């Protein structure tokens, strides 16, 4: 095999870039400081052999899990040794890039206690959790119930005699099933259960339950715990001990019920605290906002791999003696560049959601609940939109890499497998879109009344105008005007919303209408969410964007994002008479010229994500483009290559070849 | 855990069916005899413990591969013992349901020798291959070239002195890379290489090359072979030894060049035989036709799992004391039922393609090449269409199962991972659609001339009419008329084809136009292929369909197939003025009522596939619907459940919990 040359096969591509890539890196990271932390943590992880991850596809389940425990411990050790800040620590865990019990401990267990525990409970539990003297998980979903949390069957019955709750799993389907970190690592859980006092069911509440002894890690009496088994993909989520959990009348003290909102008194009375229940929504908004941010990471990673490889890969045709780089094919561009644009779009909408979460939190503290339903709908809808698109996009990027994308060493199979459950956890994407649609229907129905639509729904105030305004596109260049595009997306969303509301009004029972038209309602919600992403991208570009050529690139990407959506959902735009076929055809032409504009910048635009080769974990996406020798290197690591004649030859191949099957013992 | 009750949880669902399911089973199987063979082979495999496959997700690569060798040998043994016919043997291998070297031996190596070998060569090699005294693979793709076969770099240089070819890999990228069965099992390969005589390059040809000694299975001198490493998913394609192969001046006798079409004489002259080169296309048509048939199998399998589980799964709402079965949600129906309809649609178009292949073969033998380009375009296009849809559909079915679909025990992750490469192998799906588009453009451009469009393109003869005919839909019921729907799909395809041809004609160099407009050309090809599927479904229903209610069900599915495509590609239909928004809205209403019509029959419609639980390999898709206890059973098999305290606790968890990290050695 040829010696490895220390060259950059993509250097020509990089020299074509028409913008200041360092400035773009900072835009992508969300600021100088963010860039610096992110860059430093990425390098720290990449340079530490303990965090090696190229062997995940060939480790068996036990080795894989043990290895994850090791990495989690090592990460924690480094965090302590280096006295990392919370932001740094979380970035470090992010770059370790392996689902682990710590995700749930830091990402769910702690936030839930923060959000739903009383002052006292927070004082008691959080310090232990912060020091990892206890490890917690989030045990909500059961074998029989995920989406419908109100249908959970686990019971927490108050025993006034002993001042305790009895936690119990009355049926097979009431077993907790799925919680990450539960199966093998966690010592504690926040368990969601039906609160029962005096024979009365008071609905679902959270309870802190110790699961395992802190001495020997054995499950406490009455508790059965296990791992729910292999999940999709090599490595991927199999590093996580998603678990099951059954309770046989397990007793916990009364003060382990999370009582910030609902409380049970010594006598067993259920009382509301003076804390508004709406605060509970805060946690949800927080968690979903992080999922949107993660979507842009996963998507940009896949796009980075596919873009670099598309510049390395050559097939057919000829350009000055070489075959054509596949990135120069229009079909490749029309599949890839909208995803590149989406990565940036999701990045900016994620940034905005972070702001929204802070805004909501401040308002909640001031007991201003006016924006909560809208913020809730925003995060639910954007969680759904961005995760669905990202999941599909990763697989599309894999296909864009041809046969080699199917190898684990391309990094894309694992990225897909580890990513797709984001479409299901924290709210099934369809169930979430139905919630958004309900919110929109309500908003529209209240337009006449005093309720003024807020935030991302304010455009509905201009309903009359939007229902009839023609699209201002005369020539191709008009498609590049942000206000034209935003108004178009507003018009489409408004018209679809109103049409659906009209159809609903024909049903005598609104609930029947909602059931029967739910597929259309999902389309309405999607249109609304796409509008949000488009308009937040446009708003971002109205800010000051430093760096030579940076703004121009982002403007091109913004147009690509919007116009490729238009193309994909053309039926929506035409059937609501938002545009004409002629205008649609112009948009298609503009899209092609935008692809040509982005083409020379493509590699630099993915370089701007600043991913290390370690984090990318892809031979095809290597920074230096040195793909082919590295594919060999990876292949040679497969255990099947340990011997030239495979295990099983004598028993199962030779008898076939030698026609001795009849006598063979198989 | 509760004792397992031997009940059928889906019995109520089954009792709702409004058609003769046994008759439907025969329709699905393609005839009484096909049904009987298929049923018998499926049971044979399911009842044989050697063919167990529920452990694939937890076997490591070497165990997995060894196990596949064992199954392949056992299958071969049973085939011999039971004296199975070719049809039975191929069904048996199908139900073993594990990619193995035998797929390539029977599916590529033998057909290629049959198709490209001379009489003499077939006489020499086929008997050995039929008896499996040699095992062969198909070595075409190289590290650097897949789609562009003409770019392959491996050389076969004729040495007139010794009357031999010298097979050589001149570069790293010329290594053969991907061939299934190559890595560890095969003794022989058909190697595609550049034929070079007297310093002249005569293009690509096939050569039979022995790779390994038949005594000890060691690679012959000058040959380096290995496995290319882990691929997507647990189990899945990792049971296959896709391999790499390098030649260092390996010599083979002249008569091992496949010489049916092109021949090299003793003197090293290259001559054409009297066999028309078009015959080579026959093999391609054959292989792609089998891929379309496989698509309907994979799709129906996923749909069967998702449909049964959707009837078992309950979430929210309430119907007579129970929560709602998720299959009763319109969103679930609008995602699932079009896939159910597609499974049937692909089944019937696959049946038709089989006929087409036989027709083409007979014509070729009679030297009638008139239908070959059309047949080639058909199989290329339908291969692309059906595999792309199926790959996406499997993942959609997985999502339809919520969280539990993400478990390997749902069967869906592996089905997806093992299926998706069908979008890439035997022709990348985009590259294939571009070929179809080229064919369509050519057909349209020749319309004026003497060349009459044939087969599936005859509708273009009515171009004038199709370019202006209005859609005949007045009321909802009109959408159920097959002729209305077929004409609509014809009109859409015709109009898109003509529009694209017009745009192309504006380029001074046609090739530039083809490059620039290729994304639109892909849409044109897709529209044409969808028309083929719709019209073959309609034609099927014009045949005699026995069995009570069977025809009605198929008619409903046919309408669902067509109208859901209309909905999905609404932009095409509206922008070409094939329908009005009003008509589109009617179609949407019809679709909803069709879903209601199919709903009570859904379980029976998937039962009609007649899949055993063994073949389905899915806890969620079990025939008896007994999902929950079985999920537990599968979970408990995970190696992580062997001990309650996980491996690694003492090294990596205890030190964290006990705050002893500083001193720990990680
Ligand atoms: C990798 C992973 C990690 C997880 N981690 C955790 C964790 O740490 N803690 C925890 O508690 N849980 C966890 N979960 C569970 C997760 O939250 C649930 O799987 C999720 O809420 C979906 O619920 P479900 O599985 O019951 O799906 P279901 O609701 O059963 O969905 C099945 C189908 O029904 C449809 N459907 C359901 N309701 C409706 C409706 N009203 N209208 C229309 N359609 C409907 C859905 O769209 C879907 O197509 C995890 C899951 C996964 C996959
Ligand atoms: C599981 C599996 C099994 C296989 N088994 C075998 C086997 O047994 N024997 C064998 O010989 N090979 C086998 N192959 C190889 C397979 O045939 C190739 O991977 C396939 O032909 C695709 O070629 P590629 O990988 O070079 O993709 P590429 O052509 O490199 O594709 C990369 C990207 O470029 C695009 N592209 C390429 N050309 C064009 C064009 N002209 N216009 C527009 N876009 C273009 C593609 O659409 C794709 O997006 C197997 C592959 C897999 C994954």
């Amino acid at each position: 095999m040829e010696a490895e040359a220390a060259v950059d096969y993509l250097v020509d591509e990089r020299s074509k870039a028409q913008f200041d890539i360092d400035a773009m890196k900072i835009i992508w990271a969300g600021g100088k400081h963010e860039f610096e932390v992110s860059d430093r943590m990425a390098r720290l992880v990449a340079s530490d052999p303990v965090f090696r991850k190229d062997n995940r596809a060939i480790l068996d389940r036990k080795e894989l899990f043990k290895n994850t425990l090791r990495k989690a411990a090592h990460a924690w050790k480094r965090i302590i040794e280096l006295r990392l800040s919370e932001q740094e620590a979380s970035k470090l865990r992010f770059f370790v890039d392996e689902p682990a019990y710590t995700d749930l401990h830091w990402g769910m267990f702690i936030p839930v206690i923060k959000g739903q525990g009383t002052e006292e409970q927070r004082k008691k539990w959080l310090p232990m959790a912060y020091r990892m003297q206890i490890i917690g998980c989030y045990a909500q979903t059961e074998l029989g119930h995920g989406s419908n949390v109100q249908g959970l069957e686990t019971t927490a019955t108050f025993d006034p005699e002993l001042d305790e709750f009895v936690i119990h799993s009355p049926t097979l389907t009431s077993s907790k099933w799925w919680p990450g970190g539960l199966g093998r690592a966690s010592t504690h859980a926040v368990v969601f259960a039906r609160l029962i006092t005096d024979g009365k069911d008071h609905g679902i509440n959270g309870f802190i339950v110790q699961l395992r002894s802190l001495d020997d890690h054995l499950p406490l009496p009455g508790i059965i715990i296990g791992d729910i088994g292999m999940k999709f993909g090599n490595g991927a989520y199999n590093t996580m001990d998603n678990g099951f959990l059954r309770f046989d009348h397990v007793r916990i003290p009364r003060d382990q019920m999370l009582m910030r909102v609902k409380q049970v008194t010594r006598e067993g009375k259920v009382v509301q605290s003076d804390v508004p229940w709406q605060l509970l929504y805060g946690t949800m908004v927080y968690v979903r906002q992080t999922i949107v941010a993660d979507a842009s990471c996963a998507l940009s990673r896949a796009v980075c791999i596919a873009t670099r490889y598309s510049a390395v890969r050559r097939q057919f045709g000829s350009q000055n003696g070489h075959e054509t780089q596949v990135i120069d094919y229009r079909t490749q561009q029309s599949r890839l560049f909208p995803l590149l644009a989406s990565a940036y779009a999701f990045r900016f909408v994620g940034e905005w959601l972070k702001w929204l979460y802070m805004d909501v939190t401040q308002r909640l503290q001031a007991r201003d609940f006016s924006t909560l339903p809208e913020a809730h709908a925003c995060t639910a809808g954007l969680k759904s939109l961005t995760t669905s698109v990202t999941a599909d996009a990763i697989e599309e990027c894999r296909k864009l890499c041809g046969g080699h994308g199917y190898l684990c060493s391309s990094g894309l199979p694992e990225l897909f497998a580890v990513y797709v459950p984001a479409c299901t956890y924290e709210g099934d994407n369809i169930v979430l879109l139905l919630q958004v649609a309900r919110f929109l229907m309500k908003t529209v129905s209240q337009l006449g009344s005093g309720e003024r639509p807020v935030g991302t729904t304010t455009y509905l105030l201009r309903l009359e105008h939007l229902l009839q305004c023609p699209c201002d596109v005369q020539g191709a260049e008009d498609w590049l005007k942000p206000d034209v595009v935003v108004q178009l997306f507003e018009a489409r969303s408004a018209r679809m919303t109103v049409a659906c509301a009209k159809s609903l009004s024909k049903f005598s029972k609104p609930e029947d209408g909602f059931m029967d038209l739910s597929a259309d309602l999902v389309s309405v919600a999607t249109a609304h969410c796409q509008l949000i992403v488009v308009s937040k991208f446009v708003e971002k570009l109205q800010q000051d964007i430093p760096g030579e050529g940076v703004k121009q690139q982002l403007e091109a990407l913004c147009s690509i994002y919007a116009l490729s959506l238009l193309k994909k959902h053309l039926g929506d735009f035409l059937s609501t008479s938002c545009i004409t076929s002629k205008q649609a055809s112009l948009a298609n032409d503009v899209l092609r010229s935008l692809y040509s504009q982005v083409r020379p910048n493509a590699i630099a635009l993915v370089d701007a994500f600043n991913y290390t080769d370690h984090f990318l974990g892809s031979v095809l996406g290597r920074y230096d483009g040195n793909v082919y020798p590295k594919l060999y290197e990876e292949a040679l690591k497969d255990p099947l290559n340990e011997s030239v004649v495979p295990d099983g030859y004598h028993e199962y191949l030779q008898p076939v070849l030698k026609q001795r099957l009849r006598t063979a013992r198989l």
Side-chain angles (χ1 to χ4, degrees), chain A:
Chain A
M1 248 151 272
E2 284 148 42
E4 183 186 340
V7 309
D8 178 356
Y9 289 99
L10 291 170
V11 69
D12 279 355
E13 287 291 335
R14 295 193 165 103
S15 71
K16 289 185 207 159
Q18 296 153 317
F19 67 95
D20 177 347
I21 179 163
D22 290 325
M24 188 68 94
K25 283 184 179 176
I26 287 166
I27 295 270
W28 175 264
K32 275 213 170 94
H33 172 71
E34 285 74 10
F35 172 77
E36 185 279 320
V37 170
S38 195
D39 187 61
R40 190 156 37 85
M41 289 303 120
R43 286 167 201 274
L44 189 71
V45 171
S47 64
D48 190 330
V50 175
F51 295 129
R52 165 179 178 202
K53 57 180 184 165
D54 58 337
N55 55 355
R56 277 199 297 234
I58 54 170
L59 295 180
D60 71 29
R61 185 78 206 282
K62 277 167 105 169
E63 291 164 343
L64 196 61
F65 184 69
K66 189 171 175 183
N67 213 22
T68 304
L69 292 181
R70 179 170 179 231
K71 289 186 193 179
H74 186 65
W76 187 226
K77 190 177 176 187
R78 297 300 285 153
I79 288 166
I80 296 171
E81 285 171 353
L82 300 171
R83 299 169 192 270
L84 298 186
S85 69
E86 212 174 302
Q87 186 198 16
E88 289 168 327
S90 121
K91 275 285 170 202
L92 183 139
R93 278 192 295 270
F94 172 79
F95 286 116
V96 170
D97 185 42
E98 193 156 301
Y101 68 90
T102 44
D103 300 350
L104 284 300
H105 178 77
W106 295 102
M108 295 292 291
F109 183 69
I110 289 178
V112 163
I113 296 180
K114 268 193 192 166
Q116 305 185 15
T118 60
E119 184 70 36
E120 221 175 331
Q121 290 176 319
R122 278 176 282 174
K123 270 208 187 124
K124 171 168 176 193
W125 295 98
L126 289 180
M128 287 190 287
Y130 282 134
R131 286 196 298 267
M132 296 200 79
Q133 290 171 300
I134 60 174
I135 295 170
C137 66
Y138 182 88
Q140 177 175 299
T141 306
E142 297 174 355
L143 195 49
H145 288 91
S147 300
N148 183 16
V149 176
Q150 298 312 317
L152 294 177
E153 298 176 83
T154 304
T155 52
T157 311
F158 185 61
D159 174 357
E161 214 152 306
L162 297 177
D163 197 20
E164 290 175 339
F165 286 105
V166 181
I167 313 284
H168 186 60
S169 313
T171 59
L172 180 81
T173 48
S174 73
S175 313
K176 293 295 172 189
W177 189 277
W178 270 117
L182 166 64
R184 285 296 171 258
S186 291
T187 60
H188 288 67
V190 171
V191 172
F192 288 83
R194 316 201 71 81
L195 168 60
I196 294 174
T197 66
D198 210 11
K200 224 187 122 206
D201 184 332
H202 296 273
I204 303 301
N205 210 92
F207 300 81
I208 300 178
V209 184
Q210 181 171 353
L211 304 176
R212 289 173 177 267
S213 150
L214 291 174
D215 293 329
D216 56 11
H217 211 60
L218 285 172
L220 297 181
I223 289 180
I224 297 174
I225 309 184
D227 181 277
I228 61 171
M230 289 292 283
K231 288 145 291 184
F232 199 164
N234 329 74
Y237 236 94
N238 293 304
T239 58
M240 179 72 92
D241 52 335
N242 294 90
F244 65 79
L245 169 61
R246 290 179 61 79
F247 296 103
D248 182 5
H249 301 94
V250 171
R251 291 182 162 266
I252 58 168
R254 181 168 55 92
D255 69 3
Q256 286 179 212
M257 165 171 160
L258 292 175
M259 297 222 206
R260 186 160 183 210
V261 172
K262 213 186 278 171
Q263 313 194 322
V264 171
T265 66
R266 176 64 191 88
E267 296 74 36
K269 272 223 185 93
V270 178
V271 293
Q272 291 299 124
S273 79
D274 56 350
V275 174
W277 60 266
Q278 285 93 336
L279 268 180
L280 297 185
Y281 275 90
T283 320
M284 224 186 243
V285 172
Y286 169 74
V287 174
R288 289 187 184 153
Q289 168 268 123
T290 63
I291 293 182
V292 173
D294 288 346
S296 74
C297 294
L299 177 52
S300 54
R301 211 167 140 174
V303 166
C304 180
I305 296 169
T307 304
R308 287 186 182 156
Y309 180 62
S310 293
V312 170
R313 186 70 170 173
R314 293 172 181 272
Q315 205 83 243
F316 296 103
S318 95
Q319 292 172 315
N320 39 52
H322 285 297
E323 286 173 276
T324 308
Q325 291 167 286
V326 298
I327 198 174
D328 284 323
Y329 290 114
R330 277 272 184 243
T331 46
Q332 194 86 351
Q333 294 175 359
S334 68
R335 295 156 73 200
L336 183 58
F337 292 167
L339 305 181
L340 173 62
S342 303
Y344 277 91
F346 293 176
R347 191 72 180 184
F348 299 141
V349 85
E351 226 170 52
W352 170 77
L353 268 187
K354 207 164 149 184
W355 168 85
L356 185 75
Y357 167 67
M358 296 198 302
D359 181 64
V360 166
T361 310
Q362 280 170 9
R363 286 171 190 269
L364 285 180
Q365 273 153 8
R367 308 236 157 182
D368 165 6
F369 307 124
S370 62
T371 63
L372 190 61
E374 190 260 336
H376 183 252
C378 262
T379 40
L382 290 173
K383 182 274 180 186
S384 176
L385 181 77
T386 57
T387 55
S388 287
V389 169
T390 298
D392 291 351
I394 297 170
E395 172 60 8
E396 184 69 3
C397 285
R398 197 191 60 69
K399 291 205 183 93
L400 284 163
C401 296
H404 300 341
Y406 190 61
L407 287 168
C408 286
S409 57
S410 80
L412 292 164
E414 186 176 24
L415 187 57
F416 181 78
V418 82
Y419 189 76
V420 286
C423 298
T424 306
Y425 59 57
E426 282 307 310
D428 171 273
N429 279 354
I430 296 297
V431 175
L432 291 179
L433 287 178
L434 288 171
Q435 291 175 9
V436 175
R438 261 182 210 275
F439 165 74
L440 283 173
M441 292 303 126
K442 196 170 162 194
T443 307
V444 169
S445 74
Q446 293 177 337
L447 273 182
S449 78
E451 296 274 347
R452 255 182 83 92
V454 295
T456 54
T457 52
T458 22
Y459 70 104
L460 292 173
L461 281 172
R462 290 179 286 117
L463 199 60
E464 290 307 316
H465 173 68
L466 291 174
L467 290 183
Q468 39 175 356
C469 63
C471 167
D472 279 342
V473 170
Q474 311 285 340
E477 66 290 355
D478 293 325
W479 275 122
L480 300 175
K481 296 183 182 155
D483 45 338
V484 169
V485 169
V486 170
Q487 166 158 315
L488 177 61
F489 274 78
E490 288 176 343
R492 166 210 185 199
S493 179
R495 293 177 196 196
M496 288 173 72
T497 304
V498 167
C500 222
K502 268 204 191 125
S503 309
L504 278 179
S505 67
K506 291 185 194 137
F507 287 80
S508 49
K509 288 197 217 156
E511 222 23 57
D512 289 353
F514 216 88
M515 280 295 271
D516 206 38
L517 301 178
S518 56
D520 296 332
L521 285 159
V522 164
S523 308
V524 172
T526 304
H528 174 70
C529 294
Q530 289 174 345
L531 161 65
I532 300 178
V533 183
V534 169
S535 49
K536 295 305 156 194
F537 203 149
V538 168
E539 280 174 24
K540 174 84 190 177
L541 295 180
Q542 284 158 355
Q543 295 169 18
D544 179 39
I545 308 272
E548 206 193 308
V550 170
K551 190 164 185 168
Q552 285 83 332
Q553 291 306 317
L554 293 176
E555 280 168 348
L557 290 173
C558 183
S559 295
I560 288 177
Y561 180 71
L563 296 182
S564 61
L565 280 182
L566 180 106
K567 184 169 178 167
K568 191 168 164 199
H569 298 270
L570 189 55
D572 286 0
F573 290 91
L574 289 173
S575 65
T576 52
S577 305
C578 284
I579 58 167
T580 63
S581 305
K582 179 90 204 302
Q583 290 170 325
S585 159
L586 278 180
N588 199 26
D589 296 342
V590 173
L591 212 39
R592 270 202 310 279
S593 75
L594 286 165
Y595 294 157
S596 302
Q597 205 176 317
V598 162
R599 166 63 188 91
N601 297 288
I603 297 300
L605 284 168
V606 303
D607 283 350
F609 305 146
N610 199 42
Y611 292 140
T612 61
D613 280 343
H614 171 272
F615 181 66
L616 275 184
S618 168
V619 170
L620 305 186
R622 291 171 61 90
Y623 183 84
D624 64 7
N626 189 25
V627 166
Y628 297 116
K630 293 294 173 178
L631 276 172
Y632 253 109
E633 259 179 45
E634 289 305 314
L636 293 175
K637 293 179 191 164
D638 195 281
L640 219 49
N641 285 323
E642 282 163 18
S643 58
V644 196
V645 173
D647 262 19
Y649 164 71
H650 294 284
E651 304 96 302
Y652 310 128
L653 267 178
Q654 207 181 38
V656 170
L657 289 163
K658 299 290 175 208
Q659 316 288 298
R660 287 195 216 111
L661 262 189
R662 278 172 200 276
T663 54
R665 293 192 46 179
L666 299 181

